[in-house]
Structure formats: structure tokens, C-alpha cells
Amino acid sequence: MSRNLTADLAADLRNRIVDGVIQPGEKLPSENTLISEFRVSRTVVRSALTRLQAEGLVETERGRGSFALTPPAEGPTQAPGTRPVSSMEERLQMLDFRIGVEAEAASLAARNHSERQLKAVHGALEQFTANVSHPAHAMKADFEFHRAVAAASGNPFYTDCIAALGQTMITMPRPRLVAGDDRETRERFDQVVHEHSSIYAAIADGDPVAAAAAMRLHLSNSRRRLAGSARN
């Protein structure tokens, strides 16, 4: 019986990602490297990457390469109540969904947060800000910020929703996924920091209208940035 070369390659890369050998945000070996290492065709490599994209483990950016995403807690198995997000349309739909959910969560957080919860939001903001040069860490802190806001709402259903979406909800094809010192990349990162800071400030001030507006603006801008990256 002949080996399924696509399945073998996908399994190897999947294990590397799930085991943390390839970290979230880290670039996968190039197509040419994989072709040489596994002695397979370019078609096999692309088929394996497509399979991993469908599992939410890999994101491919045109002209940049393929990057590891944060795997679900129990590997690529789909969690109950969630659905795979791999196409650009699905990623934009995910952001549309998040705008509705997280704007209300931020509003409630402004009303209901405890001091401990507010410190958790601020801590995640600080971690995100400090990791401009470490995309994998920045992605994790980005997710922790949104999860902390949901927790501060005081409504466990918001917390459960964000937890079910998992860190892969942050997996957007954007230049900040790749560490870089160029001015444009830094400006994009600084803009996201500013948006997160505005959300935190409104929650800390106890202003539910401003908190909802700040979250809606942030996620709407994220949607715009994502759509723009697809056109580049």
C-alpha cells in the first residue's frame, strides 16, 4: 500500500505546531525546504498546507509564506458550538460576529468590573504593548485582553463565548503576524495598542457607552485592516 504523502506531511507539520516546535506566529519552512526535506512534489506540499489551513492551524499570506496559528487546547479537533474559520469570507464574518458580542461585553465591563478584573485587562494590555517584536507573544496577549474584557462583564456567557472561539480568533492575515522593524508595521501595531488603550480607559472610567464604542471601533478597524491585507 502506497503512503499518503499529503497526510504524512500534514501530520508532521501538525505535530510540530501542536507540540510547540513551531510557535504561533512563526513562519513554517518554505515550500522548497519542505520539498527537499520530505522529498515530495510542490503539489503535495500545497495540499498539506491547505489541509492545515482548514483545521485552523496554518495561515498563508500571499508573498509572505505560511505561518503557524495557535492550536485549540486539544489539538485541531473542533470544539462544540464552533466552526472552522479558514476562508477570508469566514474571517470577516467572524469579526462581524465579534463586533456584536464584544461591544456589549465591553459596555457591561464598564458597569460591572471588579478591581481584580480591571487589573487583568490592564495587565493584558501591558503584555501586548511590550511584545511588538514578538508576534507569537503579542497574539497571545491580544487574546488575553479580549478574554479579560469579557470576564469583566460579569456575565459568564460572554467569557464562555470568547473561550470557545479560542486564540484562533486573533489569527488574522496581517503584517503584524511577522516580526519586523519597518515603519509601516510599527505604525499598525501602535494603532492597535491605541485602540486597546481606549477600550481599557473607557472601562476604567465606568463609561459603558464609550467602552462599547471603543470596542466597536477597534474591531471595525480590524475588519478593515484584514480586508485591506487581502487586496495587497
Side-chain angles (χ1 to χ4, degrees):
M1 181 181 296
S2 62
R3 295 165 53 215
N4 186 324
L5 299 178
T6 296
D8 287 350
L9 176 55
D12 185 280
L13 293 174
R14 183 186 300 111
N15 289 337
R16 295 191 206 183
I17 294 168
V18 171
D19 293 343
V21 177
I22 301 176
Q23 291 288 311
E26 186 177 342
K27 190 172 183 178
L28 271 65
S30 68
E31 286 187 1
N32 288 338
T33 298
L34 292 173
I35 289 169
S36 176
E37 179 180 352
F38 289 88
R39 297 183 179 180
V40 295
S41 68
R42 194 171 302 276
T43 299
V44 168
V45 170
R46 292 181 176 177
S47 295
L49 292 175
T50 297
R51 184 173 298 190
L52 294 176
Q53 288 172 23
E55 294 176 7
L57 292 175
V58 167
E59 176 137 85
T60 299
E61 291 191 36
R62 186 172 55 195
R64 288 183 175 270
S66 296
F67 300 86
L69 304 179
T70 304
E74 297 182 358
T77 303
Q78 191 175 327
T82 64
R83 57 191 304 120
V85 177
S86 56
S87 71
M88 179 57 64
E89 181 181 6
E90 288 166 342
R91 295 180 195 286
L92 293 172
Q93 289 172 339
M94 165 77 83
L95 276 167
D96 289 337
F97 173 76
R98 287 180 59 198
I99 288 170
V101 171
E102 294 193 68
E104 184 60 24
S107 176
L108 291 172
R111 295 190 183 99
N112 301 331
H113 69 267
S114 66
E115 284 304 310
R116 179 183 60 80
Q117 290 168 335
L118 187 62
K119 285 180 180 178
V121 177
H122 188 259
L125 173 59
E126 288 186 322
Q127 283 296 311
F128 180 74
T129 304
N131 280 292
V132 60
S133 299
H134 302 281
H137 297 161
M139 288 172 64
K140 183 177 187 300
D142 194 338
F143 173 72
E144 292 300 335
F145 176 83
H146 287 274
R147 182 162 65 175
V149 170
S153 73
N155 186 327
F157 285 97
Y158 285 104
T159 309
D160 290 348
C161 177
I162 298 302
L165 292 176
Q167 291 185 34
T168 52
M169 79 179 196
I170 307 297
T171 57
M172 309 296 179
R174 51 196 171 201
R176 82 166 204 243
L177 190 64
V178 183
D181 297 325
D182 61 283
R183 180 177 177 181
E184 186 178 358
T185 298
R186 183 55 194 250
E187 286 178 351
R188 273 190 291 264
F189 187 89
D190 288 345
Q191 179 61 35
V192 177
V193 170
H194 174 72
E195 292 165 10
H196 279 196
S197 298
S198 297
I199 295 166
Y200 168 76
I203 292 173
D205 288 345
D207 188 334
V209 174
M215 181 64 82
R216 180 174 292 276
L217 178 62
H218 166 52
L219 294 177
S220 295
N221 284 344
S222 294
R223 192 186 194 285
R224 175 182 53 77
R225 287 186 287 263
L226 173 60
S229 71
R231 293 191 294 268
N232 293 335

